[in-house]
Amino acid sequence: MNAKLDSTATARPVTRATFDQVLVPTYAPAAMVPVRALGLDLWDQDGKQYLDFTAGIAVTSLGHCHPRLVEALTAQINTVWHLSNVYTNEPVLRLAQALTEATFADRAFFCNSGAEANEAAFKLARKHAHTKFGPAKSRIISCINSFHGRTLFTVTVGGQPKYTEGFEPLPQAIDHIVFNDIAAARAAIGDDVCAVVVEPVQGEGGVMPATVEYLKELRALCDQSGALLIFDEVQCGMGRTGELFAYMGYGVTPDILTAAKALGNGYPIGAMLTTEALAATLSVGTHGTTYGGNPLAAIVALNVVDIINTPAFLARVQQASQKLVAMLQGLVDDYPQILKLVRGSGLLLGLVVADSFKGRSKDIQKAAEAQGLLLLMAGPDVVRFVPALIVSDAQIDAAELMLRAALSRLSSAA
Protein backbone atom coordinates (compact mmCIF):
# COMPACT_ATOMS: atom_id res chain seq x y z
CA MET A 1 0.00 0.00 0.00
CA ASN A 2 1.18 3.51 -0.82
CA ALA A 3 2.28 5.08 2.49
CA LYS A 4 0.72 8.36 1.48
CA LEU A 5 -2.67 6.65 1.12
CA ASP A 6 -2.42 4.59 4.29
CA SER A 7 -5.61 5.16 6.29
CA THR A 8 -3.69 4.54 9.51
CA ALA A 9 -1.59 7.68 8.97
CA THR A 10 -3.55 9.62 11.57
CA ALA A 11 -2.53 7.08 14.21
CA ARG A 12 1.20 7.19 13.54
CA PRO A 13 3.30 8.46 16.46
CA VAL A 14 4.74 11.93 15.98
CA THR A 15 7.33 13.82 18.01
CA ARG A 16 9.15 17.12 17.92
CA ALA A 17 11.59 15.48 15.49
CA THR A 18 8.71 15.03 13.03
CA PHE A 19 8.53 18.81 12.71
CA ASP A 20 12.05 18.90 11.31
CA GLN A 21 11.17 16.18 8.80
CA VAL A 22 7.91 17.44 7.29
CA LEU A 23 7.33 21.15 8.01
CA VAL A 24 8.83 24.19 6.34
CA PRO A 25 11.36 25.49 8.90
CA THR A 26 9.80 28.92 9.45
CA TYR A 27 9.55 28.26 13.20
CA ALA A 28 11.75 26.76 15.89
CA PRO A 29 9.23 25.30 18.36
CA ALA A 30 10.08 24.11 21.84
CA ALA A 31 11.22 20.54 22.42
CA MET A 32 8.03 19.52 24.20
CA VAL A 33 4.79 18.97 22.25
CA PRO A 34 1.55 20.07 23.96
CA VAL A 35 -1.31 17.62 23.56
CA ARG A 36 -4.04 18.83 25.93
CA ALA A 37 -5.03 22.06 27.65
CA LEU A 38 -7.77 23.47 29.87
CA GLY A 39 -7.94 26.99 31.21
CA LEU A 40 -4.33 28.01 31.86
CA ASP A 41 -3.13 24.43 32.33
CA LEU A 42 -1.38 22.52 29.58
CA TRP A 43 0.07 18.99 29.31
CA ASP A 44 2.76 17.66 26.95
CA GLN A 45 3.25 14.23 25.38
CA ASP A 46 4.99 12.98 28.50
CA GLY A 47 2.18 14.09 30.77
CA LYS A 48 4.11 17.00 32.29
CA GLN A 49 1.85 19.85 33.37
CA TYR A 50 2.61 23.51 32.66
CA LEU A 51 1.10 26.84 33.66
CA ASP A 52 0.54 28.71 30.40
CA PHE A 53 1.26 32.44 30.60
CA THR A 54 1.53 32.75 26.80
CA ALA A 55 -2.15 32.35 25.83
CA GLY A 56 -1.00 31.31 22.36
CA ILE A 57 0.62 34.77 22.00
CA ALA A 58 -2.29 36.73 23.50
CA VAL A 59 -4.88 34.60 21.71
CA THR A 60 -6.59 32.23 24.17
CA SER A 61 -7.61 35.09 26.45
CA LEU A 62 -10.48 33.08 27.90
CA GLY A 63 -8.21 30.10 28.44
CA HIS A 64 -7.99 26.83 26.59
CA CYS A 65 -11.22 24.96 25.82
CA HIS A 66 -13.49 27.51 27.48
CA PRO A 67 -16.75 25.57 28.06
CA ARG A 68 -19.07 28.22 26.63
CA LEU A 69 -16.99 28.51 23.47
CA VAL A 70 -16.79 24.73 23.11
CA GLU A 71 -20.58 24.53 23.42
CA ALA A 72 -21.19 27.33 20.91
CA LEU A 73 -18.73 25.95 18.36
CA THR A 74 -20.06 22.41 18.71
CA ALA A 75 -23.62 23.60 18.11
CA GLN A 76 -22.54 25.56 15.02
CA ILE A 77 -20.50 22.64 13.67
CA ASN A 78 -23.71 20.63 13.67
CA THR A 79 -25.63 23.42 11.93
CA VAL A 80 -23.62 24.98 9.07
CA TRP A 81 -19.84 25.35 8.56
CA HIS A 82 -19.32 27.40 5.44
CA LEU A 83 -21.43 29.32 2.95
CA SER A 84 -18.93 31.62 1.15
CA ASN A 85 -19.61 35.32 0.77
CA VAL A 86 -22.15 34.67 -1.95
CA TYR A 87 -24.41 34.48 1.10
CA THR A 88 -24.27 36.02 4.54
CA ASN A 89 -25.01 34.16 7.78
CA GLU A 90 -26.65 34.89 11.11
CA PRO A 91 -23.57 34.56 13.38
CA VAL A 92 -21.53 37.09 11.39
CA LEU A 93 -24.40 39.57 11.35
CA ARG A 94 -24.75 39.31 15.12
CA LEU A 95 -20.98 39.66 15.55
CA ALA A 96 -20.89 42.79 13.39
CA GLN A 97 -23.75 44.24 15.43
CA ALA A 98 -21.95 43.49 18.69
CA LEU A 99 -18.67 45.08 17.62
CA THR A 100 -20.19 48.19 16.07
CA GLU A 101 -22.43 48.74 19.09
CA ALA A 102 -19.43 48.41 21.43
CA THR A 103 -17.00 50.66 19.51
CA PHE A 104 -16.70 53.84 17.44
CA ALA A 105 -17.20 51.81 14.26
CA ASP A 106 -20.25 51.62 12.01
CA ARG A 107 -19.02 48.81 9.76
CA ALA A 108 -16.96 45.62 10.08
CA PHE A 109 -14.99 43.52 7.62
CA PHE A 110 -14.08 39.99 8.70
CA CYS A 111 -11.12 37.90 7.60
CA ASN A 112 -8.91 35.17 9.04
CA SER A 113 -5.96 36.81 10.79
CA GLY A 114 -4.41 40.01 12.03
CA ALA A 115 -2.27 40.28 8.92
CA GLU A 116 -5.37 40.09 6.73
CA ALA A 117 -7.14 42.68 8.88
CA ASN A 118 -4.20 45.04 8.48
CA GLU A 119 -3.96 44.31 4.78
CA ALA A 120 -7.59 45.35 4.46
CA ALA A 121 -6.95 48.49 6.52
CA PHE A 122 -3.99 49.56 4.38
CA LYS A 123 -5.87 48.87 1.16
CA LEU A 124 -8.82 50.89 2.43
CA ALA A 125 -6.54 53.80 3.32
CA ARG A 126 -4.88 53.81 -0.09
CA LYS A 127 -8.20 53.43 -1.91
CA HIS A 128 -9.82 56.22 0.10
CA ALA A 129 -6.94 58.63 -0.52
CA HIS A 130 -6.80 57.78 -4.21
CA THR A 131 -10.54 58.37 -4.58
CA LYS A 132 -10.70 61.59 -2.55
CA PHE A 133 -7.31 63.22 -3.18
CA GLY A 134 -5.69 61.43 -6.14
CA PRO A 135 -2.76 58.99 -6.49
CA ALA A 136 -0.12 61.34 -5.04
CA LYS A 137 -1.51 60.84 -1.52
CA SER A 138 -0.32 57.29 -0.96
CA ARG A 139 2.44 57.24 1.67
CA ILE A 140 1.95 55.15 4.82
CA ILE A 141 3.72 56.03 8.07
CA SER A 142 4.44 53.32 10.63
CA CYS A 143 6.72 52.99 13.63
CA ILE A 144 10.14 51.41 14.00
CA ASN A 145 9.90 48.02 15.75
CA SER A 146 6.21 47.71 14.96
CA PHE A 147 4.63 44.48 13.79
CA HIS A 148 1.59 44.31 11.52
CA GLY A 149 1.70 40.87 9.91
CA ARG A 150 3.65 38.68 7.49
CA THR A 151 2.15 39.39 4.09
CA LEU A 152 4.49 41.33 1.83
CA PHE A 153 2.48 44.52 2.35
CA THR A 154 2.06 44.22 6.12
CA VAL A 155 5.62 43.05 6.80
CA THR A 156 6.88 46.09 4.91
CA VAL A 157 4.69 48.39 6.98
CA GLY A 158 6.11 46.75 10.10
CA GLY A 159 9.32 48.50 11.09
CA GLN A 160 11.61 45.48 11.52
CA PRO A 161 14.08 44.93 8.64
CA LYS A 162 14.85 41.36 9.76
CA TYR A 163 11.42 40.36 8.46
CA THR A 164 11.81 41.95 5.02
CA GLU A 165 15.40 41.01 4.11
CA GLY A 166 15.49 38.83 1.03
CA PHE A 167 11.92 39.62 -0.03
CA GLU A 168 12.73 42.71 -2.08
CA PRO A 169 11.47 44.55 -4.05
CA LEU A 170 9.10 45.71 -1.34
CA PRO A 171 5.92 47.80 -1.64
CA GLN A 172 6.79 51.46 -1.96
CA ALA A 173 5.80 54.72 -0.21
CA ILE A 174 6.11 53.28 3.30
CA ASP A 175 8.20 55.10 5.92
CA HIS A 176 9.00 54.46 9.58
CA ILE A 177 9.40 56.83 12.49
CA VAL A 178 10.50 56.42 16.11
CA PHE A 179 7.66 55.26 18.36
CA ASN A 180 6.47 57.83 20.92
CA ASP A 181 8.54 60.58 19.25
CA ILE A 182 6.20 63.52 18.61
CA ALA A 183 8.82 65.56 16.76
CA ALA A 184 9.46 62.67 14.35
CA ALA A 185 5.73 62.35 13.71
CA ARG A 186 5.38 66.06 12.96
CA ALA A 187 8.28 65.91 10.52
CA ALA A 188 6.97 62.83 8.69
CA ILE A 189 3.21 63.36 8.37
CA GLY A 190 2.70 65.61 5.37
CA ASP A 191 0.08 66.06 2.68
CA ASP A 192 1.24 62.98 0.76
CA VAL A 193 0.46 60.63 3.68
CA CYS A 194 -2.69 58.54 3.34
CA ALA A 195 -2.43 56.70 6.66
CA VAL A 196 -0.58 56.50 9.95
CA VAL A 197 -0.65 53.11 11.65
CA VAL A 198 0.34 52.50 15.25
CA GLU A 199 -0.02 49.87 17.95
CA PRO A 200 -1.30 51.57 21.13
CA VAL A 201 0.92 49.06 22.90
CA GLN A 202 3.72 47.59 20.81
CA GLY A 203 3.79 43.84 21.43
CA GLU A 204 6.51 42.19 19.36
CA GLY A 205 8.52 45.40 19.56
CA GLY A 206 9.21 45.00 23.28
CA VAL A 207 5.88 45.64 25.08
CA MET A 208 6.02 49.43 24.74
CA PRO A 209 2.88 51.45 25.55
CA ALA A 210 2.24 54.63 23.60
CA THR A 211 1.91 57.80 25.61
CA VAL A 212 -1.41 59.62 25.64
CA GLU A 213 0.30 62.72 24.27
CA TYR A 214 1.75 60.78 21.34
CA LEU A 215 -1.54 59.26 20.23
CA LYS A 216 -3.34 62.59 20.62
CA GLU A 217 -0.72 64.26 18.46
CA LEU A 218 -1.04 61.54 15.80
CA ARG A 219 -4.79 62.15 15.78
CA ALA A 220 -4.30 65.89 15.35
CA LEU A 221 -1.69 65.47 12.61
CA CYS A 222 -3.93 63.08 10.69
CA ASP A 223 -6.83 65.51 10.95
CA GLN A 224 -4.65 68.32 9.63
CA SER A 225 -3.21 66.35 6.71
CA GLY A 226 -6.26 64.33 5.71
CA ALA A 227 -4.55 61.05 6.58
CA LEU A 228 -6.36 58.18 8.26
CA LEU A 229 -5.31 57.03 11.73
CA ILE A 230 -5.17 53.23 12.02
CA PHE A 231 -4.84 51.50 15.38
CA ASP A 232 -3.51 47.96 15.17
CA GLU A 233 -5.07 46.31 18.23
CA VAL A 234 -4.46 42.75 17.11
CA GLN A 235 -2.46 42.02 20.27
CA CYS A 236 -3.50 44.74 22.71
CA GLY A 237 -7.23 44.65 22.01
CA MET A 238 -10.10 42.47 23.24
CA GLY A 239 -9.77 43.28 26.93
CA ARG A 240 -6.01 42.85 27.14
CA THR A 241 -5.41 46.35 28.59
CA GLY A 242 -8.46 46.32 30.85
CA GLU A 243 -10.64 48.05 28.25
CA LEU A 244 -12.43 46.28 25.42
CA PHE A 245 -9.98 48.05 23.11
CA ALA A 246 -6.94 50.05 24.16
CA TYR A 247 -8.06 53.22 22.35
CA MET A 248 -10.86 53.55 24.89
CA GLY A 249 -8.39 54.01 27.72
CA TYR A 250 -6.43 56.62 25.77
CA GLY A 251 -9.43 58.71 24.76
CA VAL A 252 -8.18 58.79 21.16
CA THR A 253 -10.44 57.41 18.44
CA PRO A 254 -8.92 56.00 15.24
CA ASP A 255 -10.50 55.97 11.78
CA ILE A 256 -9.78 52.26 11.40
CA LEU A 257 -9.12 49.59 14.02
CA THR A 258 -7.87 46.07 13.42
CA ALA A 259 -8.45 43.10 15.71
CA ALA A 260 -7.70 39.38 15.65
CA LYS A 261 -5.89 37.01 18.04
CA ALA A 262 -8.14 36.99 21.13
CA LEU A 263 -11.22 37.81 19.06
CA GLY A 264 -11.58 34.12 18.26
CA ASN A 265 -9.80 32.72 21.35
CA GLY A 266 -7.81 30.49 19.01
CA TYR A 267 -10.32 30.07 16.21
CA PRO A 268 -8.86 32.02 13.25
CA ILE A 269 -10.64 35.33 12.71
CA GLY A 270 -9.66 38.94 12.10
CA ALA A 271 -11.69 42.12 11.87
CA MET A 272 -11.29 45.58 10.42
CA LEU A 273 -13.60 48.14 12.02
CA THR A 274 -14.26 51.54 10.48
CA THR A 275 -16.80 54.29 9.88
CA GLU A 276 -19.74 54.39 7.49
CA ALA A 277 -18.08 56.97 5.24
CA LEU A 278 -14.79 55.10 4.93
CA ALA A 279 -16.45 51.71 4.47
CA ALA A 280 -18.22 53.03 1.39
CA THR A 281 -14.81 53.24 -0.30
CA LEU A 282 -14.64 49.45 -0.52
CA SER A 283 -17.55 48.76 -2.84
CA VAL A 284 -18.60 45.34 -4.11
CA GLY A 285 -15.65 43.46 -5.60
CA THR A 286 -12.86 45.76 -4.35
CA HIS A 287 -11.75 43.42 -1.57
CA GLY A 288 -12.70 40.01 -0.19
CA THR A 289 -11.76 36.68 1.36
CA THR A 290 -13.19 33.21 0.95
CA TYR A 291 -13.37 32.22 4.60
CA GLY A 292 -13.80 35.63 6.23
CA GLY A 293 -16.82 35.83 8.51
CA ASN A 294 -17.65 32.15 8.26
CA PRO A 295 -20.25 30.89 10.76
CA LEU A 296 -17.80 28.86 12.86
CA ALA A 297 -15.40 31.75 13.47
CA ALA A 298 -18.20 34.24 13.91
CA ILE A 299 -20.10 32.27 16.55
CA VAL A 300 -16.95 31.82 18.63
CA ALA A 301 -16.03 35.50 18.35
CA LEU A 302 -19.57 36.57 19.22
CA ASN A 303 -19.38 34.66 22.47
CA VAL A 304 -15.89 35.98 23.20
CA VAL A 305 -17.11 39.57 22.82
CA ASP A 306 -20.13 38.84 24.98
CA ILE A 307 -17.99 37.42 27.79
CA ILE A 308 -15.21 40.02 27.75
CA ASN A 309 -17.25 43.17 27.19
CA THR A 310 -18.74 43.46 30.67
CA PRO A 311 -17.70 45.89 33.43
CA ALA A 312 -17.05 43.06 35.91
CA PHE A 313 -14.80 41.11 33.54
CA LEU A 314 -12.74 44.14 32.53
CA ALA A 315 -12.44 45.29 36.15
CA ARG A 316 -11.02 41.88 37.03
CA VAL A 317 -8.43 42.21 34.25
CA GLN A 318 -7.28 45.46 35.83
CA GLN A 319 -7.12 43.83 39.28
CA ALA A 320 -5.12 40.90 37.92
CA SER A 321 -2.80 43.36 36.18
CA GLN A 322 -2.08 45.16 39.43
CA LYS A 323 -1.23 41.90 41.16
CA LEU A 324 0.97 40.67 38.31
CA VAL A 325 2.80 44.00 38.05
CA ALA A 326 3.46 43.99 41.80
CA MET A 327 4.75 40.42 41.59
CA LEU A 328 7.07 41.23 38.68
CA GLN A 329 8.30 44.38 40.37
CA GLY A 330 9.20 42.26 43.39
CA LEU A 331 11.32 40.08 41.13
CA VAL A 332 13.07 43.15 39.71
CA ASP A 333 13.86 44.27 43.25
CA ASP A 334 15.16 40.86 44.29
CA TYR A 335 17.12 39.99 41.12
CA PRO A 336 18.63 43.31 39.94
CA GLN A 337 21.53 41.45 38.32
CA ILE A 338 19.04 39.84 35.89
CA LEU A 339 16.02 42.16 35.70
CA LYS A 340 15.69 45.90 35.14
CA LEU A 341 12.05 47.04 34.96
CA VAL A 342 8.41 46.16 34.28
CA ARG A 343 6.41 47.91 31.57
CA GLY A 344 3.23 47.42 29.60
CA SER A 345 -0.50 47.75 30.10
CA GLY A 346 -3.14 45.51 31.62
CA LEU A 347 -2.17 41.89 31.10
CA LEU A 348 0.27 42.70 28.30
CA LEU A 349 3.46 43.12 30.31
CA GLY A 350 7.16 43.04 29.62
CA LEU A 351 9.98 42.21 32.02
CA VAL A 352 13.07 44.01 30.72
CA VAL A 353 16.40 42.35 31.49
CA ALA A 354 19.27 44.15 33.23
CA ASP A 355 22.06 45.63 31.15
CA SER A 356 24.39 42.86 32.29
CA PHE A 357 21.85 40.28 31.06
CA LYS A 358 21.19 41.86 27.66
CA GLY A 359 20.31 39.49 24.86
CA ARG A 360 19.36 36.70 27.26
CA SER A 361 15.57 36.87 27.59
CA LYS A 362 15.50 33.43 25.95
CA ASP A 363 17.49 32.04 28.91
CA ILE A 364 14.77 33.22 31.30
CA GLN A 365 12.07 31.73 29.09
CA LYS A 366 13.84 28.35 29.00
CA ALA A 367 14.54 28.36 32.74
CA ALA A 368 10.89 29.12 33.45
CA GLU A 369 9.73 26.33 31.14
CA ALA A 370 11.94 23.89 33.00
CA GLN A 371 10.05 24.89 36.16
CA GLY A 372 6.68 24.39 34.43
CA LEU A 373 5.88 28.00 33.47
CA LEU A 374 5.40 28.96 29.81
CA LEU A 375 6.43 32.51 28.87
CA LEU A 376 7.16 34.47 25.70
CA MET A 377 9.90 36.78 24.51
CA ALA A 378 9.43 40.22 22.97
CA GLY A 379 12.89 40.49 21.51
CA PRO A 380 16.21 39.45 23.07
CA ASP A 381 15.87 41.80 26.04
CA VAL A 382 12.23 41.43 27.13
CA VAL A 383 10.27 38.54 28.63
CA ARG A 384 6.58 38.90 27.75
CA PHE A 385 3.66 38.01 30.01
CA VAL A 386 0.27 37.60 28.33
CA PRO A 387 -1.68 35.12 30.48
CA ALA A 388 -5.32 34.42 29.76
CA LEU A 389 -7.48 37.24 31.06
CA ILE A 390 -9.15 34.76 33.41
CA VAL A 391 -5.88 34.21 35.31
CA SER A 392 -6.51 33.81 39.04
CA ASP A 393 -4.58 35.26 41.96
CA ALA A 394 -3.52 31.72 42.87
CA GLN A 395 -2.09 31.19 39.39
CA ILE A 396 -0.12 34.44 39.61
CA ASP A 397 1.25 33.24 42.97
CA ALA A 398 2.18 29.90 41.41
CA ALA A 399 3.90 31.67 38.52
CA GLU A 400 5.93 33.70 41.02
CA LEU A 401 7.23 30.57 42.74
CA MET A 402 8.29 29.05 39.43
CA LEU A 403 9.88 32.30 38.25
CA ARG A 404 11.83 32.68 41.47
CA ALA A 405 13.14 29.14 41.13
CA ALA A 406 14.16 29.84 37.54
CA LEU A 407 15.84 33.15 38.37
CA SER A 408 17.67 31.65 41.33
CA ARG A 409 19.13 28.96 39.08
CA LEU A 410 20.21 31.57 36.53
CA SER A 411 21.65 33.76 39.27
CA SER A 412 23.70 30.95 40.78
CA ALA A 413 24.98 29.90 37.36
CA ALA A 414 26.16 33.43 36.49
Side-chain angles (χ1 to χ4, degrees):
M1 178 182 291
N2 187 329
K4 291 190 176 183
L5 299 178
D6 188 349
S7 62
T8 65
T10 56
R12 294 179 199 162
V14 291
T15 66
R16 170 61 180 81
T18 311
F19 179 97
D20 297 326
Q21 298 165 1
V22 298
L23 286 170
V24 175
T26 53
Y27 304 106
M32 67 90 168
V33 179
V35 295
R36 183 168 63 90
L38 181 65
L40 277 78
D41 294 319
L42 180 148
W43 292 264
D44 68 12
Q45 288 179 317
D46 297 324
K48 181 177 177 178
Q49 183 174 346
Y50 299 84
L51 179 59
D52 183 5
F53 265 44
T54 74
I57 313 184
V59 169
T60 53
S61 286
L62 297 179
H64 298 284
C65 299
H66 189 284
R68 177 168 162 182
L69 304 186
V70 170
E71 181 181 3
L73 180 57
T74 301
Q76 190 62 50
I77 284 173
N78 288 296
T79 305
V80 59
W81 288 28
H82 177 74
L83 294 166
S84 86
N85 287 301
V86 173
Y87 311 97
T88 190
N89 64 82
E90 291 184 348
V92 79
L93 297 176
R94 294 192 183 105
L95 176 59
Q97 283 180 331
L99 286 171
T100 54
E101 288 170 2
T103 68
F104 73 93
D106 307 307
R107 299 285 182 133
F109 172 82
F110 295 106
C111 47
N112 309 289
S113 69
E116 288 184 37
N118 283 328
E119 185 92 10
F122 303 154
K123 286 181 68 176
L124 170 57
R126 283 256 175 98
K127 180 76 169 171
H128 170 262
H130 190 281
T131 302
K132 187 173 181 178
F133 301 102
K137 193 176 183 65
S138 61
R139 194 155 58 97
I140 294 174
I141 301 296
S142 179
C143 293
I144 295 169
N145 288 330
S146 63
F147 186 86
H148 301 294
R150 296 282 196 146
T151 68
L152 193 59
F153 196 176
T154 58
V155 81
T156 306
V157 174
Q160 301 191 53
K162 65 182 179 181
Y163 294 133
T164 57
E165 290 172 0
F167 295 108
E168 298 86 355
L170 302 173
Q172 299 299 297
I174 297 169
D175 294 315
H176 302 91
I177 58 176
V178 176
F179 185 67
N180 270 337
D181 187 327
I182 291 176
R186 288 173 178 165
I189 301 172
D191 290 339
D192 64 337
V193 174
C194 71
V196 177
V197 57
V198 64
E199 300 161 89
V201 183
Q202 284 192 338
E204 306 300 318
V207 191
M208 293 284 293
T211 65
V212 173
E213 295 76 17
Y214 182 65
L215 294 187
K216 285 185 175 179
E217 184 64 15
L218 291 184
R219 177 70 277 174
L221 291 169
C222 285
D223 291 342
Q224 292 167 16
S225 65
L228 301 183
L229 181 59
I230 302 171
F231 279 4
D232 178 341
E233 295 217 25
V234 169
Q235 185 163 162
C236 67
M238 292 306 300
R240 181 56 59 180
T241 64
E243 304 279 353
L244 180 61
F245 288 104
Y247 83 86
M248 297 171 174
Y250 280 96
V252 180
T253 303
D255 299 297
I256 304 172
L257 181 145
T258 57
K261 285 187 179 291
L263 180 60
N265 205 67
Y267 201 101
I269 184 171
M272 178 189 71
L273 306 179
T274 192
T275 63
E276 182 87 30
L278 291 175
T281 303
L282 292 180
S283 57
V284 174
T286 55
H287 191 56
T289 170
T290 297
Y291 297 108
N294 74 80
L296 298 180
I299 199 66
V300 173
L302 177 61
N303 279 272
V304 169
V305 173
D306 192 44
I307 293 169
I308 290 177
N309 193 29
T310 65
F313 187 97
L314 294 171
R316 169 56 197 165
V317 172
Q318 294 172 13
Q319 292 169 357
S321 173
Q322 292 170 3
K323 181 174 177 63
L324 183 55
V325 168
M327 182 270 274
L328 296 176
Q329 185 58 53
L331 296 178
V332 171
D333 295 340
D334 293 343
Y335 297 92
Q337 72 277 27
I338 297 177
L339 305 174
K340 184 176 184 179
L341 61 90
V342 182
R343 67 186 180 208
S345 178
L347 288 174
L348 173 52
L349 298 172
L351 195 55
V352 183
V353 303
D355 292 344
S356 59
F357 214 75
K358 271 191 173 297
R360 296 184 61 188
S361 62
K362 184 71 173 178
D363 292 348
I364 299 174
Q365 181 194 37
K366 287 183 176 179
E369 182 183 310
Q371 296 297 324
L373 176 65
L374 302 182
L375 301 174
L376 295 168
M377 296 164 52
D381 301 324
V382 182
V383 181
R384 184 172 19 165
F385 293 75
V386 283
L389 304 182
I390 61 170
V391 63
S392 67
D393 286 356
Q395 288 169 325
I396 294 174
D397 290 339
E400 179 179 9
L401 292 176
M402 287 183 267
L403 265 173
R404 286 188 175 275
L407 292 169
S408 294
R409 282 182 174 270
L410 288 172
S411 182
S412 62

